[in-house]
Amino acid sequence: GDSVTQMEGPVTLSEEAFLTINCTYTATGYPSLFWYVQYPGEGLQLLLKATKADDKGSNKGFEATYRKETTSFHLEKGSVQVSDSAVYFCALSDSEGNNRLAFGKGNQVVVIP
Amino acid sequence: KAGVTQTPRYLIKTRGQQVTLSCSPISGHRSVSWYQQTPGQGLQFLFEYFSETQRNKGNFPGRFSGRQFSNSRSEMNVSTLELGDSALYLCASSQGQTNTEAFFGQGTRLTVV
């Protein structure tokens, strides 16, 4: 079935550093791709999305490009802030045309002042 | 516009008991999906309802069930609780039928003792 793989382990970096979180996917069709963020004690919030190949999603300084040739959707931000500390999940929509989402394991991002 | 509301926020139950969790989607949204989040397994899809019909079910035992009412509110039920059912249960609502943006509630934290 469809699946998402995120890089292992937490990510710790200093304020104003460059952030990259890798995400690759396996899907039989043409899914939409998403990045969600989860702050402590909260549900998930949609950060950005891309619905077709070569689309770039962007929001709050974060960007990710839908790369069909490498089946990837890496998340990047040029200069992180302490407030960006959270868990980030990559997800794809079911290829069978419903609202089911498959999530990666998530990455804890800790930004140190 | 009110967001997705899940009740209760926290719940403690004893092994063998059953539990019902509630989710009120965003007004006008007809799709409700449920996910289980645990540290070990991450986010796993439970089921999706659209216009009172279950469209999809994840790989969970029959102890996990759900339903959706005519006003789109949804409930999920877990019978004969096990310690491993301790998790954060998240509800997501979507407006359309396929690949539409999912809005998540804050979740219900279930602890089974």
Side-chain angles (χ1 to χ4, degrees):
Chain A
D2 295 352
S3 65
V4 175
T5 301
Q6 286 182 240
M7 51 193 277
E8 294 285 330
V11 178
T12 303
L13 57 170
S14 300
E15 205 166 22
E16 298 184 5
F18 184 88
L19 170 69
T20 299
I21 304 177
N22 290 340
C23 169
T24 56
Y25 68 89
T26 302
T28 53
Y30 301 95
S32 294
L33 300 174
F34 307 88
W35 276 100
Y36 281 87
V37 59
Q38 187 176 35
Y39 298 100
E42 301 289 324
L44 275 68
Q45 299 175 26
L46 179 66
L47 183 59
L48 53 84
K49 66 179 181 181
T51 57
K52 60 184 187 299
D54 300 324
D55 267 4
K56 178 187 280 190
S58 61
N59 186 28
K60 299 180 182 179
F62 291 90
E63 292 184 339
T65 301
Y66 190 142
R67 301 284 189 201
K68 193 169 186 305
E69 63 278 11
T70 55
T71 60
S72 65
F73 193 55
H74 305 322
L75 181 69
E76 297 181 336
K77 186 174 184 182
S79 176
V80 294
Q81 305 302 312
V82 172
S83 58
D84 293 325
S85 298
V87 181
Y88 292 80
F89 293 92
C90 184
L92 62 77
S93 63
D94 194 292
S95 301
E96 296 178 9
N98 52 52
N99 291 314
R100 175 178 183 159
L101 293 171
F103 286 90
K105 293 287 191 185
N107 288 100
Q108 173 82 52
V109 172
V110 177
V111 181
I112 300 169
Chain B
K1 199 182 233 185
V4 179
T5 303
Q6 291 189 246
T7 56
R9 287 292 310 277
Y10 302 93
L11 209 47
I12 299 176
K13 289 287 188 179
T14 304
R15 268 184 303 176
Q17 288 186 311
Q18 75 165 19
V19 67
T20 298
L21 312 182
S22 179
C23 172
S24 293
I26 292 170
S27 178
H29 286 196
R30 294 162 63 192
S31 167
V32 173
S33 299
W34 289 89
Y35 295 84
Q36 181 195 66
Q37 185 177 23
T38 59
Q41 298 298 316
L43 280 151
Q44 294 187 287
F45 173 80
L46 279 155
F47 24 67
E48 183 205 0
Y49 288 87
F50 185 85
S51 294
E52 301 179 68
T53 301
Q54 186 182 90
R55 297 204 297 174
N56 259 289
K57 191 175 194 311
N59 189 24
F60 279 83
R63 301 185 295 107
F64 291 81
S65 62
R67 58 178 175 168
Q68 186 180 33
F69 302 96
S70 58
N71 61 358
S72 293
R73 190 177 70 85
S74 177
E75 290 181 346
M76 67 163 281
N77 184 276
V78 188
S79 62
T80 319
L81 284 165
E82 300 176 359
L83 295 179
D85 297 333
S86 295
L88 180 67
Y89 289 88
L90 292 166
C91 166
S93 82
S94 300
Q95 187 169 26
Q97 207 165 353
T98 67
N99 296 337
T100 51
E101 181 177 341
F103 296 83
F104 283 81
Q106 290 187 293
T108 294
R109 172 74 63 185
L110 172 65
T111 302
V112 182
V113 298

